[in-house]
Amino acid sequence: MSGEKEYFVTLAPKKVNMYVCGITAYDVCHLGHARSAIVFDIIKRYLRYRGYEVTHVRNITDIDDKIIARAARENISTGEVAKKYTDEYYRDMDLLGVSRADIEPNATDHIQEMIETIKVLVEKGYAYPLDGDVYFEVGRFPGYGKLSKKNPDDLLAGARVNIDERKRSPLDFALWKASKEGEPAWESPWGRGRPGWHIECTSMASKYLGESFDIHGGGADLIFPHHENEIAQGEAYSGKPFVKYWMHNGFITVDKEKMSKSLGNFFTIKEILDKYEPEVVRYFLLSAHYRSPIEFSDVQLNEAELSIDRYYTTVIRINDFIESAGAKEKVEGASELEDLLSGFKDKFLNAMNDDFNTASALGYIFELIREVNRFLDGRPSGQKAKDLVLRTRELLAEIGGVLNIFNKTPEEWYRSLMKVKKIDLSESDLEDKILERQKAREAKEWAAADRIRDELAEKGVILEDKKDGTAWKIRAG
RNA sequence: GGCGACGUACCCAAGUGGCUAAGGGGGAGGUCUGCAAAACCUUUAUUCAGCGGUUCGAAUCCGCUCGUCGCCUCCA
């Protein structure tokens, strides 16, 4: 609310009540929806990791103008439209590794609650019925504009055309809308109609999280008017502060412009996941701070893929070492690694405690990656070296777990890359080729061996000769 | 027009008053290797859009200028 970072103090000790605006189920999701979902998924995971008991509510709007329009166009019911795109949404979220919220309410299951809220607002004089609609009277709520830092007078001055003359003020917004013939409708004290968009979040958030709760999140485009209106409704209703901390994720941009439905410059999650591993998308989104705009491009996604590949390549080295390390104690240059290991967790926590700075956290992960590689380059052996490397692997896995990345085995990673890059080669064919090349190498027929390697490289498969055999990877980036 | 955010290397990106300006990608050189790949090492910002100011000290605070974007209408 202050527009600045603040110390995080929960309303109840160690408990966090968090509401995040979900989707309106009228079309498939694009990357912007993914960002919001992933950002708040990480926030929830991190708070839980830190020992908070988090109740996460994420709504699904299943009745609104766009759903009605789509239903009319496709000649199906609004319920069918909402169901279809809710299913698509869950499919996308599952692929992206976004966990479910604890409560995922639909608007249409809470019509009664909304009617009750509106009734109270009317009784308290904050809202007025008008020809079957009900409007919130913005002028009656003194704090209006405090979240978006807008002055109601400026808003009035800048008001665009299409002003509804019946309203007491152009800023007044609908709590309840009378239904037209053939539209979905519910009985209410003001006649048959349906709820306005803003009221559902206020009613449902209050129902599940209380009249005041800790965190409310969503995309930055919801600040005004949606969240401003939620505050007006919630605080007019209860007389209490509605939300303690507002958190808004920044936009995804394409050529510096906001990715959006209306501009048509969007990429659906489905399209992106056809070309990139879900983990790559997650990493990409975590590589910038959640409030910053982030430019979508293939270059960026490829860089994310390379970064993740660097991680898994190191995991392979670590695993190889742990399996094959000799017993003879040889530990050189371990002090740097030991230092880094002992300070690593604090660095990670500090980064995340500072407004969930995932980009900084990822930086620390790669510092550790470089150090463990350096350590392994010294060809260490023995139990002490093993313990150190094991500790590194565990620490990396723990932190990766919080961010929900880096949680595959390297084998899974490369199989997954193989699939997403549509490499036309079975694993057994690949093994055969490697064997064939192995024979050539043993016979020191380098040209033949190189030919096989080049042939595979052309398909995007990279061979790595190690002392006990040849491993394959898929070229990232 | 009103309000707001941002501008850090070739690209992406952390850093918001004080040790050598994280990290990733890319470039150049090197070590290792049959050759590669991977990894590592060295190097690539005496400088943080520009100009002023505050301060012992600023990329970091303040002012102005330039540029980019967002919100003010549905939007993650």
Side-chain angles (χ1 to χ4, degrees):
Chain A
M1 191 68 77
S2 63
E4 289 169 15
K5 284 193 261 191
E6 293 176 21
Y7 284 101
F8 184 60
V9 182
T10 55
L11 293 169
K14 281 286 162 192
K15 285 185 82 155
V16 176
N17 282 161
M18 172 163 107
Y19 185 96
V20 181
C21 288
I23 56 150
T24 298
Y26 77 103
D27 203 350
V28 292
C29 292
H30 66 242
L31 195 59
H33 300 98
R35 184 174 197 190
S36 176
I38 287 171
V39 161
F40 289 100
D41 184 49
I42 297 292
I43 287 169
K44 173 173 68 175
R45 285 173 194 271
Y46 183 69
L47 290 173
R48 287 198 174 139
Y49 174 71
R50 297 295 288 149
Y52 290 96
E53 191 188 310
V54 181
T55 304
H56 176 206
V57 178
R58 185 174 52 205
N59 70 307
I60 292 175
T61 301
D62 59 351
I63 182 69
D64 97 316
D65 291 350
K66 280 176 297 205
I67 295 174
I68 292 170
R70 182 129 200 165
R73 195 168 55 203
E74 297 188 6
N75 206 20
I76 53 178
S77 73
T78 52
E80 284 169 308
V81 171
K83 169 84 168 63
K84 179 178 171 191
Y85 293 108
T86 299
D87 289 349
E88 292 266 2
Y89 165 73
Y90 280 130
R91 201 191 55 93
D92 288 343
M93 292 304 125
D94 289 349
L95 284 171
L96 288 171
V98 173
S99 61
R100 299 292 169 98
D102 302 295
I103 304 166
E104 306 202 329
N106 280 323
T108 54
D109 292 332
H110 298 79
I111 302 288
Q112 278 319 308
E113 286 87 339
M114 294 184 229
I115 289 175
E116 288 307 312
T117 309
I118 297 169
K119 258 194 202 163
V120 171
L121 289 173
V122 172
E123 279 163 19
K124 286 193 168 186
Y126 287 104
Y128 55 93
L130 189 76
D131 306 335
D133 297 342
V134 181
Y135 291 95
F136 187 94
E137 189 169 359
V138 167
R140 298 271 297 135
F141 182 72
Y144 196 77
K146 63 182 173 181
L147 174 69
S148 54
K149 301 187 173 41
K150 289 183 191 303
N151 179 336
D153 296 336
D154 294 339
L155 284 170
L156 273 177
R160 310 238 179 130
V161 287
N162 266 341
I163 293 170
D164 185 340
E165 296 289 343
R166 304 169 306 150
K167 291 196 291 183
R168 292 181 191 171
S169 159
L171 300 186
D172 294 351
F173 56 89
L175 298 169
W176 188 261
K177 297 176 171 183
S179 290
K180 296 189 191 81
E181 192 57 37
E183 287 180 356
W186 289 264
E187 292 298 340
S188 84
W190 315 282
R192 288 174 63 76
R194 60 193 163 85
W197 176 38
H198 313 297
I199 195 67
E200 77 174 69
C201 290
T202 303
S203 281
M204 298 195 299
S206 301
K207 172 173 179 178
Y208 294 109
L209 300 175
E211 291 174 347
S212 295
F213 54 98
D214 300 288
I215 295 175
H216 191 132
D221 44 4
L222 298 180
I223 294 171
F224 189 90
H226 185 52
H227 289 163
E228 200 66 70
N229 291 353
E230 279 190 52
I231 293 172
Q233 294 164 345
E235 300 193 350
Y237 174 85
S238 70
K240 297 174 191 161
F242 184 51
V243 168
K244 191 150 185 210
Y245 303 103
W246 286 93
M247 300 180 71
H248 294 100
N249 61 277
F251 302 125
I252 306 234
T253 58
V254 176
D255 295 329
K256 294 270 184 183
E257 278 191 321
K258 177 186 172 188
M259 181 184 285
S260 73
K261 274 277 163 56
S262 40
L263 285 172
N265 60 347
F266 60 91
F267 293 84
T268 66
I269 295 171
K270 213 183 216 171
E271 284 168 344
I272 291 164
L273 291 183
D274 184 52
K275 283 172 72 184
Y276 297 99
E277 237 282 325
E279 190 171 353
V280 171
V281 178
R282 270 184 95 87
Y283 184 96
F284 163 66
L285 294 175
L286 297 182
S287 67
H289 190 267
Y290 76 88
R291 277 187 280 108
S292 308
I294 186 167
E295 172 77 10
F296 171 83
S297 71
D298 281 323
V299 173
Q300 299 268 69
L301 271 291
N302 284 330
E303 284 188 8
E305 193 173 280
L306 278 169
S307 295
I308 298 172
D309 194 61
R310 179 163 159 79
Y311 178 90
Y312 284 117
T313 301
T314 304
V315 172
I316 292 174
R317 273 194 93 180
I318 288 175
N319 291 346
D320 287 351
F321 173 74
I322 287 167
E323 272 172 38
S324 65
K328 190 169 160 245
E329 287 296 334
K330 180 182 176 237
V331 184
E332 278 166 21
S335 63
E336 285 94 342
L337 181 59
E338 280 175 331
D339 287 352
L340 215 52
L341 280 173
S342 60
F344 180 72
K345 197 130 152 199
D346 280 340
K347 283 184 181 172
F348 172 73
L349 296 179
N350 284 336
M352 291 299 283
N353 288 346
D354 184 11
D355 199 17
F356 307 94
N357 196 333
T358 52
S360 181
L362 291 174
Y364 294 132
I365 288 177
F366 283 98
E367 268 182 5
L368 184 54
I369 291 280
R370 187 181 59 214
E371 197 50 54
V372 72
N373 271 315
R374 190 182 289 160
F375 178 68
L376 291 172
D377 272 1
R379 299 181 167 278
S381 65
Q383 196 55 45
K384 188 182 174 220
K386 244 185 188 174
D387 287 346
L388 270 177
V389 173
L390 218 49
R391 214 175 120 209
T392 306
R393 186 171 73 178
E394 282 165 7
L395 212 44
L396 287 170
E398 179 179 331
I399 298 319
V402 178
L403 301 176
N404 200 20
I405 51 173
F406 302 147
N407 45 14
K408 295 184 177 67
T409 64
E411 293 74 25
E412 287 167 342
W413 166 247
Y414 287 115
R415 279 198 197 103
S416 201
L417 273 188
M418 201 169 189
K419 213 162 148 190
V420 87
K421 288 180 180 293
K422 303 176 179 62
I423 289 172
D424 178 27
L425 200 65
S426 74
E427 270 185 65
S428 65
D429 287 348
L430 190 49
E431 296 298 341
D432 290 347
K433 294 275 185 198
I434 289 173
L435 215 61
E436 197 185 324
R437 176 165 171 275
Q438 193 54 37
K439 281 181 191 148
R441 289 186 73 215
E442 276 160 19
K444 297 208 186 299
E445 289 166 8
W446 304 123
D450 289 351
R451 205 179 312 124
I452 292 169
R453 188 172 59 198
D454 292 346
E455 187 191 314
L456 290 173
E458 222 166 279
K459 292 182 190 265
V461 178
I462 293 175
L463 298 186
E464 277 189 36
D465 295 328
K466 305 183 196 183
K467 56 180 182 297
D468 55 347
T470 298
W472 63 269
K473 316 196 317 182
I474 304 300
R475 189 190 303 115

